[in-house]
Amino acid sequence: MSAAASSTSQPAPVTVTTTAGAVRGSRAGRPGIAAFLGIPYAEPPVGPLRFAAPQPARPWDGVRDAGAYGPPPPQAGALGMDVLAGGDADESWLTVNVWTPEPDPGARLPVLVWIPGGAYVIGTAALPEYDGALLASGGAVVVTLNYRLGIEGFALLDGAPANRGLLDQVAALEWVRDNIAAFGGDPDRVTVFGQSAGGGSVAALLAVPRAAGLFRRAVAQSVQGTFFSPELAADVAAACAAELGLRPTAADFATVHPARLPAAGDAVSAKIAGWRDQWGPITSRPIPFAPVVDGEVLPVTPWQALAAGAGRDVGLLVTLARDEHRLFSLIDGVLGQVSEEQADTALHLLAPGPDGARRYREAQPGAGPEELYELVNSDWLFRMPSLFLAEAQRAGGGRVHVAELTWSAPGLGGILGACHGLDVPLVFGNLAAGQPAALIGDLPNPEAEALSAAMRTAWTSFAAHGDPGWPAYEAGQRLVRLLDVPPAVAADPEGPSRRLWQDHAFAPLPLITG
């Protein structure tokens, strides 16, 4: 083949003009989809901008290549993510990626903006499981983003705004508002979606005044329900500072290279059980960072905000998984080995109310220690925060749909059931990409493919029209879509746990001083 013939076989590049300058994408991936990767939505948060609110990206001359992901923000050591980040000298972490079927301002397609999860300490939009090409092929523009994590994004420091990671997300949504039409998206039909800490971020954005009007709909998947009081966040920051011999101030932390900071958070995580009397439930996982209800960036918890009507004009889809905690039991090495003592400790630490442990046992009279351990961990961290986000939205006069993943993953011998993270490959359709794909097992898997197609259709339909294809969640029946093969609709399938938690306030987690 001649060089001329070879060059003509390559997909032609695609150029789009943003408010900061032109970017050149590619159609080299999925046919019919143009991808634009690593577009800066804010200036690198280093130097004078370290621990500051994000600032808009400076304009550039010429055409910027958008053929590679931007570097990940500094990562904690969990799941080897620190090795993946590699301490890259490039600190341009704050980037977005766009996949579009029609990079034409007249297309006006619905937009799905993904916020990665990872306990607020790991996560990057460059992971292969977040490739948005297949999801975009259903008729939507898909955007994924990076935001600051750990100490950089969420430590409460003197001299720095709280919730810098959330402010990054707001800045990315402002970029979407100002630029997505050029990629074929409709800025009036933006849906923000995320899972785990990404779902917690979606919940938080519903309560962040600066995010008002930046999205029309929201999908909160397996909402991580941890929101810190300023007192708790300050105590955790002081512990991180002590690991480095510093004061918990932005000025002191700015003397440490960003790549070194996650190790301080990891050191606190490794010893977190020693703070159980002060920090309470967050020592169970451990969870050293989360959004802070600081009274300014995040004035109140998402549950308070939605119950007061903050989401009345935002369509909401909430999802949870039946077996949320089983994956963590495997990671922790206790799957199949939970003792009565471990179950009792978890029940007394996490169950709501002074007699929560007793009430859990009474509500599940035939449950053994493993089932109780998994249930209370799942309910505390993900399932009840998610379900009660829906309850708050309904109470505040907003519309909400609820779904529960009940399809059992066949991967790893089928031991994990409908576990945390299984929804990610199903929503994106990347059934053989990245770590979550191991949950799917060997391909082809007709059940996984059918469920993935149904979920992608539901998510894009919700983004386009506000209707995922099943009834809204209302008082009385509390209808929930069961994401399974075949799918079904059930009334109040988590009623026993819902009733156990119905009087729980979901207040900011306190620093325990008594």
Side-chain angles (χ1 to χ4, degrees):
M1 182 182 293
S2 69
S6 177
S7 65
T8 58
S9 67
Q10 298 299 314
V14 187
T15 301
V16 166
T17 301
T18 74
T19 54
V23 292
R24 180 175 53 249
S26 170
R27 293 186 184 273
R30 177 167 291 274
I33 301 297
F36 302 81
L37 309 178
I39 306 171
Y41 67 82
E43 281 294 286
V46 295
L49 299 180
R50 187 95 179 268
F51 301 110
Q55 298 300 309
R58 285 177 292 183
W60 56 83
D61 296 325
V63 179
R64 184 187 183 101
D65 182 64
Y69 291 107
Q75 307 278 309
L79 303 178
M81 291 296 290
D82 54 341
V83 176
L84 176 67
D88 199 314
D90 186 350
E91 295 162 336
S92 304
W93 313 315
L94 304 185
T95 60
V96 293
N97 314 292
V98 182
W99 290 265
T100 176
E102 297 182 57
D104 176 355
R108 308 290 288 187
L109 296 171
V111 181
L112 283 157
V113 180
W114 174 254
I115 301 176
Y120 303 105
V121 294
I122 60 172
T124 167
L127 295 176
E129 53 262 41
Y130 301 149
D131 184 296
L134 182 57
L135 187 57
S137 70
V141 176
V142 176
V143 180
T144 64
L145 61 92
N146 284 344
Y147 58 100
R148 282 173 283 181
L149 301 165
I151 291 172
E152 294 283 348
F154 291 95
L156 188 62
L157 305 176
D158 287 343
N163 298 306
R164 297 171 297 280
L166 295 182
L167 293 175
D168 292 345
Q169 297 166 15
V170 171
L173 287 166
E174 290 172 338
W175 183 95
V176 169
R177 177 196 61 198
D178 297 339
N179 291 282
I180 207 63
F183 294 87
D186 184 348
D188 295 323
R189 285 195 297 170
V190 172
T191 297
V192 62
F193 72 131
Q195 184 265 353
S196 195
S201 295
V202 170
L205 290 172
L206 288 163
V208 170
R210 299 185 203 190
L214 293 177
F215 53 93
R216 187 172 181 179
R217 299 183 182 100
V219 183
Q221 302 171 215
S222 295
V223 173
Q224 182 172 326
T226 50
F227 286 79
F228 289 3
S229 67
E231 296 79 14
L232 174 60
D235 210 53
V236 174
C240 293
E243 291 292 330
L244 297 163
L246 304 174
R247 298 170 300 166
T249 67
D252 272 25
F253 273 107
T255 65
V256 181
H257 191 278
R260 285 188 53 215
L261 278 190
D266 287 347
V268 169
S269 293
K271 300 182 289 188
I272 202 166
W275 281 282
R276 179 154 293 175
D277 290 343
Q278 295 165 253
W279 298 353
I282 68 165
T283 62
S284 64
R285 267 275 9 110
I287 303 166
F289 302 106
V292 183
V293 182
D294 66 310
E296 183 179 348
V297 175
L298 185 60
V300 296
T301 68
W303 302 275
Q304 289 174 288
L306 291 189
R312 196 172 293 142
D313 298 325
V314 178
L316 179 61
L317 169 58
V318 173
T319 76
L320 55 149
R322 184 189 60 207
D323 307 307
E324 292 276 11
H325 195 264
R326 196 164 300 172
L327 176 65
F328 300 107
S329 291
L330 177 67
I331 292 171
D332 294 343
V334 300
L335 187 64
Q337 303 175 47
V338 176
S339 67
E340 188 68 48
E341 182 182 1
Q342 287 172 311
D344 194 59
T345 297
L347 287 166
H348 281 91
L349 184 63
L350 304 176
D355 61 344
R358 176 187 60 79
R359 293 171 64 230
Y360 255 89
R361 292 185 184 280
E362 289 178 351
Q364 306 286 339
E370 181 128 15
E371 185 177 350
L372 287 166
Y373 176 85
E374 286 196 0
L375 184 61
V376 73
N377 272 284
S378 296
D379 284 350
W380 174 76
L381 188 53
F382 299 117
R383 282 158 39 92
M384 293 304 105
S386 301
L387 190 61
F388 278 85
L389 194 73
E391 292 279 346
Q393 173 75 339
R394 181 188 58 77
R399 183 175 176 84
V400 59
H401 295 79
V402 178
E404 181 174 357
L405 182 61
T406 56
W407 182 72
S408 291
L412 303 177
I415 61 174
L416 295 182
C419 69
H420 189 73
L422 177 60
D423 52 336
V424 173
L426 294 171
V427 166
F428 279 90
N430 300 322
L431 303 183
Q435 290 179 333
L439 303 174
I440 302 295
D442 295 334
L443 295 176
N445 183 322
E447 283 196 356
E449 291 167 351
L451 181 55
S452 175
M455 290 174 68
R456 295 196 310 273
T457 296
W459 266 237
T460 53
S461 176
F462 180 74
H465 311 296
D467 184 357
W470 59 86
Y473 185 85
E474 302 285 0
Q477 285 189 301
R478 292 184 167 87
L479 297 179
V480 174
R481 179 72 155 190
L482 302 183
L483 300 171
D484 212 325
V485 181
V489 173
D492 200 15
E494 297 303 334
S497 286
R498 179 185 61 78
R499 288 186 286 274
L500 285 170
W501 286 81
Q502 64 186 357
D503 296 324
H504 183 69
F506 291 96
L509 294 169
L511 177 67
I512 302 168
T513 57

